[in-house]
Amino acid sequence: MTYSLLGRCARTGQFGAAVTTSSLAVGARVQHVAPRIGGVLTQHRTDPRLGPRGLELLAGGCSAEEVLAALVASTPDHKWRQLACIDAQGRTAHFHGAAVKPAMNAVHAKDCVTLGNILANDGVPAAMAAAFLESEAEPLAERLMRAMEAGEAAGGEGRPVISAALLVMEREVFPLVDLRVDLAPEAISALRTLWDAYSPDVQTFVTRAVDPNAAPNPG
């Protein structure tokens, strides 16, 4: 009961992911992103071990398709897994295990892949991809948020979501954006509120880390 997406901003080199579900702590389990390398989604009966493994393969030069083939081959329980990957060139791939429950779908578009299972309808990932493409001039985090909102507007999943997360990596080893909502009756709306509040200070937090002398004083 999860829908998610991976995205790349060719202009800035950022990679990011957003995800929501009707269970707790989705941001700690599903999305795995590394700067200048790409990202991996692992969901349905989620195995978080597959995310770091996929990032290691991407860092070693494997394409998105090669990463997913290796991940599927490495786990005997692949029938339960729903996976997606984006590599440094923006190439994407996905995998639906035989036991993944419908409605499910995946959609590939320029610099993104969207993924879902136990959805209200199989058009949700397409709505997400369309919103991501239509907002190309916006920051990556905003594009990911709009995609999540479009997925919800298209029907979302069959049960109310209570957990959502937004993750963007740029150049540093720490996230540019890492926002999470749990046990919220309207998780995507709550994540939007967090992002709108956080977005004016995104670069300030980076400056405090890498060049504290240049950082503005706290208000």
Side-chain angles (χ1 to χ4, degrees):
M1 294 169 283
T2 304
Y3 54 101
S4 59
L5 70 157
L6 288 166
R8 168 181 177 260
C9 176
R11 183 178 67 256
T12 63
Q14 295 173 2
F15 285 91
V19 59
T20 191
T21 192
S22 55
S23 61
L24 280 172
V26 71
R29 295 179 282 112
V30 169
Q31 52 189 8
H32 306 265
V33 182
R36 297 185 290 268
I37 291 173
V40 176
L41 298 170
T42 169
Q43 58 191 49
H44 194 253
R45 295 198 178 176
T46 307
D47 183 355
R49 297 172 297 180
L50 299 179
R53 190 180 304 167
L55 293 180
E56 288 178 3
L57 292 168
L58 287 171
C62 292
S63 69
E65 287 191 0
E66 290 167 339
V67 168
L68 280 200
L71 292 181
V72 171
S74 72
T75 173
D77 299 313
H78 54 75
K79 71 177 182 179
W80 294 109
R81 314 304 183 195
Q82 190 181 43
L83 307 170
C85 183
I86 188 167
D87 62 28
Q89 286 73 47
R91 297 170 297 191
T92 56
H94 80 275
F95 171 77
H96 297 311
V100 175
K101 296 180 181 179
M104 62 179 175
N105 204 358
V107 171
H108 301 256
K110 180 184 177 184
D111 288 328
C112 79
V113 56
T114 65
L115 196 66
N117 63 79
I118 318 182
L119 298 169
N121 61 79
D122 62 9
V124 170
M128 295 165 67
F132 184 86
L133 294 178
E134 289 166 2
S135 55
E136 188 171 4
E138 299 293 333
L140 181 60
E142 176 64 24
R143 299 177 70 190
L144 295 169
M145 270 306 321
R146 292 189 188 186
M148 297 304 293
E149 291 165 338
E152 183 177 47
E157 40 171 282
R159 293 166 56 183
V161 298
I162 62 168
S163 177
L166 175 66
L167 176 65
V168 175
M169 303 292 294
E170 192 171 44
R171 292 178 295 273
E172 308 300 334
V173 296
F174 58 85
L176 184 71
V177 179
D178 188 359
L179 303 176
R180 303 180 186 188
V181 169
D182 285 297
L183 209 59
E186 296 182 1
I188 295 174
S189 293
L191 189 62
R192 162 57 74 183
T193 298
L194 278 179
W195 165 239
D196 285 348
Y198 188 81
S199 59
D201 293 320
V202 167
Q203 292 303 325
T204 297
F205 288 117
V206 175
T207 302
R208 287 178 182 176
V210 302
D211 189 7
N213 290 321
N217 291 326

